Amino acid sequence: MSGSDAAPDARVARVVVGVSGSPGSRTALRRAVAEAHHRQAELWAVLAWQSPGGELHARRASAAPLADGDWENLARTTLVTTIREVLPDGPGVPLHAVLTRGTPGRALAETADREDDLLVVGAGHRGHLHRALHPSVSRYCLAHACCPVLAVPPSPLEADLAAAHRRNVWRLRLDTRHFTKEATPPDA
């Protein structure tokens, strides 16, 4: 008998989560950590990146402002920074940070390629224009993944933040004249 009693094909359970740095992906990452703890599974944080304009544009462009290596480094920095900010004390489970080139939905579905995986994605509120211009990663994963997919709704604070941002976009410039007036000393 060998030194290991485990079956040779025994695999560790995995929770795969899409990480982009967005508020929705941060919420999904927190939920994925909880699921990994509950399932005693490894956490696979995946960030998929592409050159701006897509792969076809990158091949055609003769002189891109940033080389592919620069875009990859930016993606790596985003992945590491997001993990560190969301999980400052670490996840408490084995973590694999995966950087892959390609579309996010496809990269996530291909990474979570086992029936016993759990794929966690953020499912944000999207307007009609955004939906028309940018395909939904969560919809792609729901349609193409071979494992269960957990679509995590956005944090309620995300809607409040977006509303505050919309209000502030239309506000006039801040009048700073009252900040520059010299303070008068109190009467003694």
Side-chain angles (χ1 to χ4, degrees), residues 33-161:
V33 169
E35 290 293 331
H37 279 283
H38 176 74
R39 297 167 181 263
Q40 297 178 342
E42 294 179 343
L43 178 65
W44 288 55
V46 179
L47 188 144
W49 67 276
Q50 288 181 296
S51 296
E55 297 305 311
L56 183 60
H57 181 268
R59 283 188 227 126
R60 283 189 195 162
S62 58
L66 288 176
D68 284 345
D70 296 331
W71 290 113
E72 184 177 2
N73 288 336
L74 182 61
R76 180 176 288 106
T77 299
T78 300
L79 177 60
V80 171
T81 301
T82 302
I83 291 170
R84 286 183 178 158
E85 287 176 358
V86 173
L87 308 169
D89 298 326
V93 294
L95 170 67
H96 299 272
V98 179
L99 188 64
T100 184
R101 185 172 182 163
T103 58
R106 184 178 204 154
L108 290 169
E110 287 177 356
T111 302
D113 62 350
R114 300 189 278 187
E115 289 180 6
D116 59 340
D117 286 342
L118 174 66
L119 177 55
V120 181
V121 293
H125 295 284
R126 295 159 44 104
H128 295 293
L129 179 61
H130 191 273
R131 199 174 294 136
L133 297 175
H134 305 285
S136 170
V137 173
S138 57
R139 285 181 187 251
Y140 184 95
C141 291
L142 286 166
H144 294 91
C146 68
C147 65
V149 178
L150 176 60
V152 180
S155 163
L157 296 176
E158 189 176 336
D160 293 343
L161 179 63

